[in-house]
Amino acid sequence: MKALITGVTGQDGSYLAEFLLEKGYEVFGMIRRSSVENLYRIEHIKDKIKFIQADLLDQLSIINAVKESQPDELYNLAAMSFVPTSWKQPVLTGEFTGLGVTRMLEAVRHQCKDIKFYQASSSEMFGKVRQVPQNESTPFYPRSPYGVAKAYGHYLTVNYRESYDMFACCGILFNHESPRRGMEFVTKKVTDGAARIKLGLSDALYLGNLDSKRDWGYAKDYVKAMWLMLQEGEADDYVVSTDKTHTVREWVEAAFSCLDLDWKKYVKIDKRFLRPAEVDLLVGDSSKARKKLGWKPEVDFKKLVKIMVEYDYNRLKKLV
């Protein structure tokens, strides 16, 4: 089996590449030409991945990537994925996260419609939620350019599936974290910040809205769900979540307590980190994925926080 992964250097892409290599896949990774290589998440497996240079903004390069790799499965994980940045670069977000999906689907449609296609949809599409919890039938109400672009990519994937009889699935993944999470995300910012404070490298952590509620899972668990979707006999869309919600405050409290610290002494609110339009509550209903795919999360909230805190503490301890 051959798989092509866009976004292979990201958190999800790196775990998915590991997962597929363990299953004996030949893995191709689509990467953009860059003056600085960003392969640190896949450094340990980069010799096992065949890299193809292409860009979500360049249709011809995508067509050539699909032609060169001839994949059985294509996982489209690449996107401009940081919500706050989508407010500062809304047009670029639309190009990558929205129209980039169109270019990928067109490449598959014209090269080989037998390729099984996975689109990384997002719980951010639900935004100002219409119902709690959110499942595959919950209407979208995105609250950021990122969420809007993801909704476009989601609906387009469904449209191509129904219009061209393509095997195209959307995984509506709720927040999922890991030690490989980018430093700009609040979960990583907290675990890294707590570790720095414990080691005397910092004396405060500045955050935005502590009352936002999210459904946090472990990225390593979630990439398995992506693969399971493409093993089904029929293409469909699935919510992937832990079905439990926690506030940012709870994440902070759990992270600091792992290091025997009182978070209230160190965490300060900075209005710069508040979103123009906040998404207050996200909690999934993954019963369809659990029933049809036989999937379930293995790592719970406290264990996930502990994994990330211990990783960041050990990483930063080497600098002291």
Side-chain angles (χ1 to χ4, degrees), residues 109-124:
R109 184 168 78 90
H110 288 287
Q111 288 299 306
C112 179
K113 287 203 297 181
D114 291 335
I115 295 170
K116 292 186 173 183
F117 182 85
Y118 172 86
Q119 167 59 20
S121 291
S122 168
S123 60
E124 285 286 333

Side-chain angles (χ1 to χ4, degrees), residues 221-240:
D221 287 342
Y222 284 33
V223 298
K224 184 179 180 181
M226 300 176 187
W227 176 76
L228 285 169
M229 289 178 209
L230 299 195
Q231 311 317 305
E232 287 293 292
E234 192 175 323
D236 206 346
D237 308 320
Y238 298 88
V239 162
V240 179

Side-chain angles (χ1 to χ4, degrees), residues 162-180:
E162 295 175 351
S163 302
Y164 301 116
D165 194 28
M166 292 169 60
F167 193 107
C169 296
C170 294
I172 308 172
L173 270 58
F174 279 66
N175 295 63
H176 46 289
E177 316 300 319
S178 76
R180 297 178 192 173

Side-chain angles (χ1 to χ4, degrees), residues 122-123 126 129 131-136 138 172-175 213-217 222 238-246 281-290 295 297:
S122 168
S123 60
F126 295 122
V129 299
Q131 67 183 58
V132 179
Q134 297 89 53
N135 60 32
E136 294 80 6
T138 303
I172 308 172
L173 270 58
F174 279 66
N175 295 63
K213 295 178 179 178
R214 294 291 185 273
D215 183 331
W216 279 298
Y222 284 33
Y238 298 88
V239 162
V240 179
S241 60
T242 68
D243 303 356
K244 296 175 182 176
T245 188
H246 297 273
L281 169 64
L282 291 175
V283 56
D285 171 9
S286 62
S287 54
K288 180 178 174 182
R290 294 174 192 238
W295 175 87

Side-chain angles (χ1 to χ4, degrees), residues 99-271:
L99 288 175
V101 183
T102 313
R103 297 184 187 105
M104 293 303 305
L105 287 164
E106 277 293 279
V108 170
R109 184 168 78 90
H110 288 287
Q111 288 299 306
C112 179
K113 287 203 297 181
D114 291 335
I115 295 170
K116 292 186 173 183
F117 182 85
Y118 172 86
Q119 167 59 20
S121 291
S122 168
S123 60
E124 285 286 333
M125 301 185 304
F126 295 122
K128 191 174 183 180
V129 299
R130 305 291 186 90
Q131 67 183 58
V132 179
Q134 297 89 53
N135 60 32
E136 294 80 6
S137 302
T138 303
F140 299 145
Y141 194 152
R143 298 270 280 172
S144 67
Y146 170 77
V148 172
K150 277 291 186 184
Y152 173 92
H154 176 90
Y155 279 128
L156 200 75
T157 302
V158 174
N159 186 257
Y160 269 59
R161 178 172 73 220
E162 295 175 351
S163 302
Y164 301 116
D165 194 28
M166 292 169 60
F167 193 107
C169 296
C170 294
I172 308 172
L173 270 58
F174 279 66
N175 295 63
H176 46 289
E177 316 300 319
S178 76
R180 297 178 192 173
R181 187 47 124 172
M183 204 64 72
E184 67 273 20
F185 290 85
V186 68
T187 47
K188 183 69 167 179
K189 186 177 177 181
V190 170
T191 58
D192 175 82
R196 286 180 183 278
I197 289 168
K198 183 68 175 180
L199 292 164
L201 297 172
S202 180
D203 55 11
L205 175 62
Y206 295 89
L207 298 172
N209 184 8
L210 299 184
D211 296 317
S212 288
K213 295 178 179 178
R214 294 291 185 273
D215 183 331
W216 279 298
Y218 185 30
K220 201 169 183 179
D221 287 342
Y222 284 33
V223 298
K224 184 179 180 181
M226 300 176 187
W227 176 76
L228 285 169
M229 289 178 209
L230 299 195
Q231 311 317 305
E232 287 293 292
E234 192 175 323
D236 206 346
D237 308 320
Y238 298 88
V239 162
V240 179
S241 60
T242 68
D243 303 356
K244 296 175 182 176
T245 188
H246 297 273
T247 62
V248 174
R249 183 178 282 99
E250 287 177 84
W251 184 280
V252 171
E253 190 174 358
F256 276 75
S257 67
C258 283
L259 298 170
D260 297 318
L261 294 171
D262 180 359
W263 69 273
K264 292 176 183 175
K265 293 180 180 179
Y266 306 101
V267 175
K268 303 181 188 305
I269 303 302
D270 189 330
K271 291 182 179 179

